Amino acid sequence: MRPRYHFARHLRTGAVAALGALAVLIPNRSFAQGRGGRGGPDTRPEVTFPVNIPTDDARITALKKEAMRMVDSMSTFSQQMVDMVFSFGELGMQEEETSKYLTGILEKNGFKVTHGFAGVPTAWVATWGSGKPVISLGSDVDDIPQANQKPGVGYKDPMITGAPGHGEGHNSGVPMNITAAIAVKKIMERDHIPGTIQLWPGIAEEQMAAKAYFVRAGMFKDVDAVLFAHVGSDLGVSYGQSGQNALISARFNFLGSSAHAAGAPWAGRSALDAVELMDVAWNFRREHLPLTQRSHYVITDGGDQPNVVPPTASVWYFFRELNSPDVQGLFALGDTIARAAAMMTSTKLGSVDILGSGWSGHFNKVIAEDMFENIKQVGMPKWDDKDQTLAKGIQRELGQKNPRGLSERTMTELAAPQRTEDMRGGGSDDIGDVSWNVPTVTLRYPSNIPGLPGHNWANAISMATPIAHKGVTAGAKVQAMTVLDLMLKPTVVTQAWDYFKNVQTKDIKYFPLMRPTDQPAIWLNKAIMDKYRPEMRKYYYDPTKYKTYLDQLGIKYPTVRDTTKTVP
Ligand SMILES: [Zn+2]
């Protein structure tokens, strides 16, 4: 047992108190059991679980070929959706134009749409078909603050300085799923194949603020399998415990009392002092935390002006750890430090808002193996010189001495999951909550450029160019083929649930990391969008006038420069 678990156990009491009536059902041995010795056979149950998927018969082979052809024939349709969502550039919880546009397309194509799902105005669920199996396709749609960037330009060049932009590539996933779903729907209609296709958007993924609420509101209660998709620079899938960290997003609100900062400072109590002391204490304490933790904060309220002792101040933390009990421990430590900071400053910790949360994802071996066969058939897109020039241009711009451009290599083997003791922590995705409720995989599709910083303007560069479009077409083929497998090979679904019940959730049962009283933070990012949207509207894509968004913006593809500059 690793020291981390002792740490978690000490702190869990506080976390549970702070989070209300949470059932902590994960045993301490958690994810660390059942492995073979190093060098010996890998005896972890997720690795030894046998998967037996029948090879494609003549009918399925023909239908998959047809699905691939259909996706190819829809490439202009896919490109327009990708470019359109890129041009909306909306932050989490404010994906109004994006959701209106995408649901409009789905409704036009015969899908039934429920708007405002789980009390989130921009959330929706679309379904088509009837009966079992119910196959669900999801991907995120929100973007990144201050990541506004002209597509196809290989250096920092925003359309609107300071505005948000798709610096994570979330403009591509739902368009990809829509193309795949429409292709499969046509085949199912014609051949009278029973089953239901569901589509949904990951709202405010960057704040981990919606998927746990989708689960709570029952979005997946009748679903047999979820094919999630996230942009990357390769075509791939994985299974088992992901390297993603579980996360609790919490805002600590301090209350002091104001006074004239020069005339009577002794009469005031600074809420900002409490925020600063909390941050200082956290930064000392982090030296003595497990290396797998990640924690970061921004001060969202630091007072109004220097001559008024700040009566209110708030700091927003992301706490991340490998699993849910450990992230609760980390949050509890933050909560303790916040209370101590309030004591030190004679202020009050007014409230602690949970703004988001998410489990570390665990992905289904059976569906991953099935999808992987389709990935091998589809293969990486063929990049041309222009695509490679753009990729190498931005890689050079970021100071990479031997820019490697875009990869054309397709995965040849489905790798076994990383061992828990080798995990070093990292980012998060609230698909984790979904993955602990229904068999789920995440398809990575190659619409972005490798070697970029992430959550950055550089990651927006490719996202309305042929790189994104080709990646989406490749990904849509894999999604469509895998949906066909799930519809036509009932054993895939049966085996997926066998893995889910008897391996994945045998000892670990899902519980939400947010409190029962918590509600989606639908106000997130409203002020930023209100500020920038009027200007951003001028740049919305108009496909009736322009073939591509690059055409509309008058950008020569690719536009790069030769200088080598290191971007901070
Ligand atoms: Zn993302």
Side-chain angles (χ1 to χ4, degrees):
M1 195 182 294
R2 291 165 308 141
R4 175 168 23 254
Y5 293 103
H6 295 291
F7 157 83
R9 213 188 299 162
H10 281 306
L11 294 168
R12 197 173 296 150
T13 332
V16 172
L19 276 172
L22 272 180
V24 180
L25 298 172
I26 295 194
N28 276 321
R29 62 197 185 85
S30 195
F31 307 117
Q33 292 287 302
R35 71 180 62 90
R38 281 301 169 93
D42 195 337
T43 56
R44 290 177 290 168
E46 61 270 40
V47 175
T48 56
F49 183 85
V51 178
N52 294 303
I53 300 170
T55 49
D56 295 350
D57 58 21
R59 179 192 178 214
I60 294 179
T61 305
L63 290 181
K64 283 186 179 176
K65 285 217 172 90
E66 196 184 354
M68 284 198 269
R69 274 199 303 273
M70 284 163 77
V71 169
D72 274 328
S73 75
M74 290 160 82
S75 62
T76 301
F77 171 70
S78 306
Q79 167 253 311
Q80 286 184 355
M81 286 191 286
V82 168
D83 287 4
M84 185 68 93
V85 179
F86 182 92
S87 78
F88 292 145
E90 293 175 306
L91 290 166
M93 292 293 177
Q94 308 302 323
E95 306 94 335
E96 295 164 14
E97 299 288 350
T98 303
S99 285
K100 201 163 68 182
Y101 169 73
L102 295 170
T103 54
I105 288 173
L106 284 162
E107 279 165 346
K108 222 183 289 163
N109 282 280
F111 285 76
K112 204 178 108 244
V113 179
T114 305
H115 297 268
F117 193 87
V120 177
T122 55
W124 47 268
V125 197
T127 55
W128 176 85
S130 62
K132 289 279 195 177
V134 181
I135 307 304
S136 178
L137 304 175
S139 195
D140 304 321
V141 292
D142 58 323
D143 72 355
I144 299 281
Q146 301 196 39
N148 195 273
Q149 167 70 25
K150 286 181 188 158
V153 176
Y155 48 86
K156 187 170 185 180
D157 190 8
M159 287 174 275
I160 303 164
T161 303
H166 274 288
E168 164 84 358
H170 285 178
N171 59 305
S172 53
V174 173
M176 181 185 78
N177 285 341
I178 290 177
T179 295
I182 292 174
V184 174
K185 171 178 174 270
K186 283 184 186 157
I187 292 172
M188 288 173 70
E189 268 173 330
R190 188 198 59 203
D191 291 8
H192 307 289
I193 298 169
T196 305
I197 306 173
Q198 180 193 68
L199 289 101
W200 52 274
I203 295 297
E205 189 277 331
E206 298 301 345
Q207 291 81 33
M208 303 276 289
K211 293 191 192 87
Y213 291 104
F214 292 173
V215 169
R216 191 167 85 179
M219 188 185 276
F220 305 100
K221 68 179 194 308
D222 298 320
V223 170
D224 293 287
V226 174
L227 306 182
F228 190 65
H230 197 281
V231 63
S233 54
D234 69 339
L235 194 58
V237 67
S238 62
Y239 76 91
Q241 190 59 31
S242 72
Q244 294 165 347
N245 273 0
L247 177 147
I248 292 176
S249 157
R251 189 178 59 176
F252 298 86
N253 305 301
F254 293 92
L255 299 170
S257 51
S258 67
H260 193 299
W266 45 84
R269 295 289 178 268
S270 169
L272 178 61
D273 288 355
V275 163
E276 290 190 76
L277 286 167
M278 177 182 178
D279 294 347
V280 167
W282 186 263
N283 286 327
F284 272 92
R285 185 59 186 266
R286 75 165 76 236
E287 183 187 354
H288 309 289
L289 294 175
L291 298 178
T292 45
Q293 74 88 25
R294 297 286 189 286
S295 45
H296 13 264
Y297 55 84
V298 292
I299 297 173
T300 53
D301 172 13
D304 298 305
Q305 57 185 60
N307 66 347
V308 179
V309 173
T312 62
S314 300
V315 59
W316 181 15
Y317 271 75
F318 276 13
F319 300 103
R320 309 193 204 230
E321 251 294 4
L322 285 186
N323 62 43
S324 291
D326 287 355
V327 86
Q328 287 185 310
L330 203 62
F331 167 71
L333 177 60
D335 192 67
T336 301
I337 287 176
R339 284 167 205 285
M343 281 173 72
M344 280 190 278
T345 50
S346 296
T347 60
K348 280 201 191 91
L349 178 59
S351 59
V352 182
D353 307 320
I354 304 295
L355 302 183
S357 64
W359 277 54
S360 167
H362 183 118
F363 299 114
N364 191 277
K365 187 183 186 187
V366 181
I367 306 175
E369 286 208 2
D370 182 85
M371 180 178 270
F372 186 64
E373 289 308 308
N374 297 321
I375 284 172
K376 284 195 285 188
Q377 275 194 56
V378 171
M380 283 288 281
K382 292 272 167 279
W383 310 115
D384 66 18
D385 288 350
K386 290 177 180 178
D387 304 330
Q388 292 290 7
T389 302
L390 180 67
K392 287 180 184 166
I394 179 62
Q395 288 168 343
R396 210 179 304 117
E397 190 79 18
L398 292 166
Q400 296 168 20
K401 289 223 169 58
N402 298 305
R404 59 191 156 126
L406 300 162
S407 169
E408 287 193 338
R409 244 194 33 234
T410 307
M411 279 169 76
T412 53
E413 218 181 312
L414 187 63
Q418 216 182 1
R419 290 168 189 273
T420 313
E421 65 269 32
D422 293 335
M423 289 181 178
R424 292 176 185 185
S428 315
D429 190 316
D430 51 2
I431 190 61
D433 284 60
V434 179
S435 78
W436 285 95
N437 283 277
V438 57
T440 300
V441 295
T442 295
L443 168 70
R444 295 187 309 276
Y445 56 95
S447 287
N448 218 314
I449 297 166
L452 307 187
H455 292 181
N456 180 278
W457 55 267
N459 293 67
I461 285 170
S462 71
M463 290 312 307
T465 72
I467 297 174
H469 306 142
K470 290 176 195 176
V472 158
T473 290
K477 290 176 185 174
V478 175
Q479 290 287 73
M481 291 157 83
T482 310
V483 175
L484 284 173
D485 280 333
L486 291 160
M487 294 288 179
L488 295 169
K489 297 178 182 176
T491 180
V492 181
V493 172
T494 313
Q495 290 177 50
W497 278 94
D498 183 13
Y499 175 90
F500 181 80
K501 286 185 179 141
N502 298 315
V503 177
Q504 180 184 346
T505 62
K506 188 165 173 263
D507 300 319
I508 301 165
K509 305 290 177 211
Y510 175 76
F511 58 89
L513 284 166
M514 78 280 201
R515 301 162 291 201
T517 49
D518 286 323
Q519 294 299 324
I522 59 174
W523 48 267
L524 277 169
N525 298 314
K526 185 171 185 320
I528 303 175
M529 284 314 296
D530 284 351
K531 178 177 171 189
Y532 288 107
R533 200 191 290 278
E535 188 62 21
M536 291 172 78
R537 274 189 207 285
K538 299 175 190 163
Y539 293 89
Y540 287 175
Y541 173 43
D542 183 356
T544 63
K545 290 202 186 117
Y546 301 95
K547 243 183 103 204
T548 67
Y549 194 42
L550 288 172
D551 285 349
Q552 178 170 332
L553 297 173
I555 292 168
K556 181 182 151 283
Y557 180 73
T559 299
V560 293
R561 59 184 183 190
D562 269 344
T563 53
T564 301
K565 244 180 122 184
T566 303
V567 178

